[in-house]
Amino acid sequence: MQSFVINLLNGVSYGLLLFMLSAGLTLIFSMLGVLNFAHASFYMLGAYVGFSVAAHAGFWSALVIAPLIVGAIGAALERWLLRRVRVHGHLPELLLTFGAAYLLGELVKLGWGLSPLSATVPPALDGPLFTLYGAAFARYRAFMMAVSLVMLALLYAVLRVSKTGLIVRAALTHASAVEALGHDVPRVFTGVFAAGTALAALAGVIGAPLFVIEPAMAESLGSIVFVVVVIGGLGSLSGALAASLLVGCVQTFAVASDVSLGGVLAAFGASLPAEWDALTLAQLAPLIPYLLLVAMLALRPRGLFGRRDEHA
Amino acid sequence: MREPFGPSALTATSASTSRRMWRLIAPWLALVLFLAVPPFIWPQSWLLAYLAQTATMIVFALSYNLLLGETGLLSFGHAAYSGLGALVAAHVFNRVGVPLVLLPLIGGLGGALCGVVFGFISTRRAGTAFAMITLGIGELVSAAAWTLPDWFGGEAGVAIDRASGHALGSWSFGPAREAYALIALWCLLASAALFALSRTPFLRLANAVRDNPARAAAIGCYPRRVRHGVVVLSAFFAGVAGTLGLINVELVSSESVGMMRSGAVLIATVIGGTAAFFGPVAGAVVLTFFSVAVASVTRAWLFYLGLFFVVVVVISPDGIAGFMQRHIARVAACGWRMCRAMYLWGAAAALLWTLAAVLAVQWAYAVQFGIDDSASFGVDGLPLWMASSALWFSGVVFMLAASGALSTRYAVRAQARLAMNSRSTRIAGDTQ
C-alpha cells in the first residue's frame, strides 16, 4: 500500500495526458461532427517535430513551436481537403481522416526513419520531486500534470469567457444564425480543427520523454483515446475528463500490480482453467481499456456523460 | 398523351431489356474470367497465390459492404470475424477432420457466432459510436491474440495441413492448383450468395435503417435488431473469407485478426465504391494489386495506397464504381465528341500528377532508406543522374507538377463548359 499514492499520482498524470488528446478530439467532434481518426497521428507528429525542434532549440521552444507547426498542418488538412468532402456528409470526412492517418504514419517513417527515438527530459525537470515511503514521484510527471491543468483551465476560460469562445459555442449549435451575423463559420471550423490538432501535438511533446517515439505510437495510444471518448460519451468534455482519469488510473494500477488473474477471481470465489490463472493483471493491462468499454456499453450505452442518442 | 406501342417501340424495349441483361451478366462474366483464365495461361505459383489472395479479399470486401454499403455501419474491426472464423476452422480441421471442401462453412459459422456476441454489444449504438466500438472490439481481440498464446498459437500461429483431410476423388488439395480451384469456386459461390442476399426483403429493411432509422422504426422494424442481423450475416461471410485465406496459406496467426487487415478491407471497399454490388470486387482487385504487385517493387506501397485512398475519397466519395457510372452516364448523355477535351486533359493531368508523385516519393524513400539496403526499394526505377543531383531532380518534379496543374485547370474548364452546354441545350429543349 506504500506506493498507492505514487501510483495514483502516476495514473492521474497519465490520465491528464490522455485528456489533452481526448479534449482536442471531443472539441473537433462536437464542432464539425466528425471524429478525427488521424488525431493520434497528429500526436505522433507533434512528438517527432518536438524531438527535432528540441534537438536544435531546446525543450522549451519545442513546447511552443511544435504545436504551432502541427496546428498549421491540421488547419491545412481541414481547409484544403476536409472542406471539400463536407458536402458529401460525415462518412467521407471520417474516411478522409482515416486515410490521412495512413499518410501521416508513412510520412513520419519517411522523415525520421523506423528506429525508435528517445526524447530527453530537460535538466530542470529531471529527478524526483519528492519521495513517499521510499517510492519517488518524478518531477517531470508533476510538470506534465501542471501543463495539462493549465491547458484545461485555458481552454475552459477561452470557451466560457472570451468573445471567440462565445462565437465558437454559438457556431456549435446555430451555425447558420452565426453566419447571418457576419461571422465566418468555416474559418471558425478551421480554427477549432487547428486548435484540436495543436493540443494533440502538445500532448505529443510533453508525453514523448515518458514513452518511446516510434512509428507505432499512434496506433498504441490512438485506440485508447477513442475508447476514452466513447466511455466518456461522444462530444462531452467533462465525460472525456472523467473517462481519461478512470482509464489512466486503472491501467497504471494494473501495470504496477503483481496480482494474478486467478488470485483476483479466487477473491470472488470463481475459478478458471490453469493457463488463465497464471496470467497477471499486468499482462492483461492492454486489454483493460477495451474491457471497460464493453462493460460501459453493456450498462450505459451512451457513455458516462453522453447525451441520449435518438436512434441508439 | 402516350404514344401507342408500335413495332419500333417494341424492338426498342426488347433491345433495352437485352442491354440490361447484358449489363447484369457482364460483371459476373468478367469475375469468372478473371478467376479462371489466368491460371491456364501462366501456371506459375506466384500468380495462383496472387489470385487466391484476390479471391479471399473479394469475399471479405463484399461481406464488409453488407455493413458499410447496405446498412451504413462503418466498422474498424471486421478482421476480428474473419480471423476468429479462420481460427475456429483451423482448430476444427485439426481435431475433427472435416472435409476441406466444407471448411469455409465451419469458418463462416465460427465468424457468425462471434458476430452474435460482438454484434450484441456494438449495435447498441449506430453511427460514429458504432465505428469506435468496433475499433475497441477489434483492438480487444488483437490484444487478446497476444495474451492467449494457447488459443492463437502465439508467434507461430495455428497451422493446418490442407492435404491431410479426406481426398475428394483424386484431389487431395495439397498442390496449390487444386487449393486455388477450391478457393475460386467458394469465392464465386459466396459472391452469388451475397448477390442473392442483397435482393432479399431483409436487406431492403437494412437499407431503410441506413437511410432513415426513425421512419424505419415507425413502420415497425427494430433498427437495432436489423443491424444485429446484418452484423451476423456479414460476420458469416467474413468467416468464410478468413477460411479461404487459411486454405491458401495454411496458417492463421494473430496478424489475421490485426487492425491492418481491418483497415485493408475498409480501404478496399471504399476505393471500389459502396453503392454498387461490384464496387467492393473492383476495390479488392485494386487493393491486392497494391499489396502484392506494388509492394514487390517498392517499399512505399503503403504511402501510395494511402494517397490513392485519399484521392478517391476527395474526388469520388462513391469509389471507382460510382466514378465509372457517372462518367458512362455523361458520355451517354453528351456524346463522346463533346466530352473528348475534358477526358484528354483529365487523363493528362492524372498521368502527370502520378508521375510527379511517384518520382518524389521514390526519391524521398531512397534518400531515407536507401543507405542501408537499396536493393529492394526500387531505387533502380530512377535514372542515376536524377538520383545524383537533387537540383535537377526537384526541377523535373516541379515541371511535371506544374504541367499537371495546368492540365487539371484545362480539364476543370472543359468540364464547366460541358456542364454549361448541356444545361443550355436542356433549357432549349424544355422551351420548345
Side-chain angles (χ1 to χ4, degrees), chain B residues 403-429:
Chain B
S403 38
L406 210 64
S407 326
T408 314
R409 206 182 146 82
Y410 281 126
V412 167
R413 211 178 271 173
Q415 189 177 7
R417 210 177 308 133
L418 190 69
M420 214 152 71
N421 277 351
S422 65
R423 201 176 305 138
S424 62
T425 49
R426 199 177 306 144
I427 290 168

Side-chain angles (χ1 to χ4, degrees), chain B residues 101-371:
Chain B
V101 185
L102 296 180
L103 198 61
L105 211 58
I106 305 288
L109 289 178
L113 207 65
C114 299
V116 170
V117 177
F118 297 153
F120 179 75
I121 302 160
S122 56
T123 52
R124 292 185 76 108
R125 303 289 303 269
T128 309
F130 177 87
M132 291 303 112
I133 296 160
T134 53
L135 179 74
I137 290 177
E139 287 280 351
L140 181 66
V141 171
S142 63
W146 288 106
T147 25
L148 301 172
D150 46 313
W151 283 8
F152 286 88
E155 297 264 345
V158 178
I160 63 163
D161 177 15
R162 64 185 176 213
S164 69
H166 303 284
L168 192 77
S170 62
W171 283 35
S172 68
F173 298 110
R177 230 181 138 76
E178 294 170 9
Y180 172 69
L182 181 67
I183 291 170
L185 203 66
W186 262 100
C187 169
L188 288 176
L189 211 67
S191 305
L194 277 159
F195 185 76
L197 191 66
S198 72
R199 295 310 189 251
T200 54
F202 177 68
L203 268 241
R204 296 283 180 240
L205 266 188
N207 291 353
V209 167
R210 169 195 67 192
D211 293 335
N212 196 333
R215 283 173 79 172
I219 60 167
C221 82
Y222 290 91
R224 216 190 119 187
R225 215 175 279 170
V226 172
R227 288 188 194 116
H228 194 181
V230 174
V231 167
V232 172
L233 281 174
S234 163
F236 174 82
F237 285 102
V240 170
T243 314
L244 293 185
L246 168 73
I247 293 174
N248 184 25
V249 298
E250 298 185 275
L251 180 75
V252 52
S253 62
S254 46
E255 236 171 67
S256 10
V257 292
M259 298 314 286
M260 270 310 272
R261 207 154 159 70
S262 300
V265 70
L266 166 63
I267 288 177
T269 312
V270 172
I271 283 180
T274 53
F277 179 79
F278 276 95
V281 177
V285 172
V286 169
L287 182 99
T288 332
F289 171 76
F290 267 101
S291 69
V292 175
V294 179
S296 69
V297 182
T298 167
R299 171 179 207 152
W301 72 276
L302 213 59
F303 189 90
Y304 291 127
L305 182 64
L307 200 62
F308 186 61
F309 179 76
V310 168
V311 167
V312 166
V313 170
V314 171
I315 290 180
S316 165
D318 42 2
I320 295 174
F323 186 81
M324 297 286 282
Q325 262 167 14
R326 231 171 315 125
H327 285 275
I328 286 172
R330 174 174 290 166
V331 171
C334 305
W336 169 241
R337 199 174 286 273
M338 296 264 290
C339 307
R340 196 171 47 191
M342 186 188 86
Y343 282 119
L344 284 178
W345 282 118
L351 203 69
L352 287 166
W353 276 116
T354 311
L355 212 57
V358 167
L359 279 179
V361 169
Q362 284 307 106
W363 179 74
Y365 270 77
V367 166
Q368 176 60 252
F369 300 106
I371 305 119

Side-chain angles (χ1 to χ4, degrees), chain A residues 29 33-35 37 80-81 84-85 88 91-96 98-100 102-103 106-107 109-114 219 222-223 226-227 230 234 275-276 279 283-284 286-288 290-291 293-294 297-303 307 309 311-312, chain B residues 68 74 76 121-126 128-129 131-133 135-137 139-141 143-144 147-148 150-151 212-214 223-224 227 259-260 262-264 266-267 270 299-300 302-307 309-310 313-315 317 361 364-365 368-369:
Chain A
F29 177 75
V34 57
L35 206 64
F37 204 85
W80 305 114
L81 291 177
R84 288 191 60 162
V85 301
H88 300 294
L91 183 64
E93 284 185 277
L94 182 55
L95 292 174
L96 184 67
F98 178 74
Y102 263 74
L103 279 184
E106 284 297 301
L107 276 177
K109 282 183 206 163
L110 201 54
W112 283 272
L114 294 173
E219 285 107 69
S223 38
F226 293 126
V227 163
V230 175
L234 274 171
E275 58 262 30
W276 288 65
L279 286 173
Q283 274 174 302
L284 288 178
L287 294 183
I288 284 176
Y290 311 115
L291 292 174
L293 169 76
V294 170
L297 287 167
L299 298 174
R300 195 178 159 87
R302 61 190 151 122
R307 274 159 298 166
D309 189 4
H311 309 312
Chain B
L68 183 59
L74 180 67
F76 286 113
I121 302 160
S122 56
T123 52
R124 292 185 76 108
R125 303 289 303 269
T128 309
M132 291 303 112
I133 296 160
L135 179 74
I137 290 177
E139 287 280 351
L140 181 66
V141 171
T147 25
L148 301 172
D150 46 313
W151 283 8
N212 196 333
R224 216 190 119 187
R227 288 188 194 116
M259 298 314 286
M260 270 310 272
S262 300
L266 166 63
I267 288 177
V270 172
R299 171 179 207 152
L302 213 59
F303 189 90
Y304 291 127
L305 182 64
L307 200 62
F309 179 76
V310 168
V313 170
V314 171
I315 290 180
V361 169
Y365 270 77
Q368 176 60 252
F369 300 106

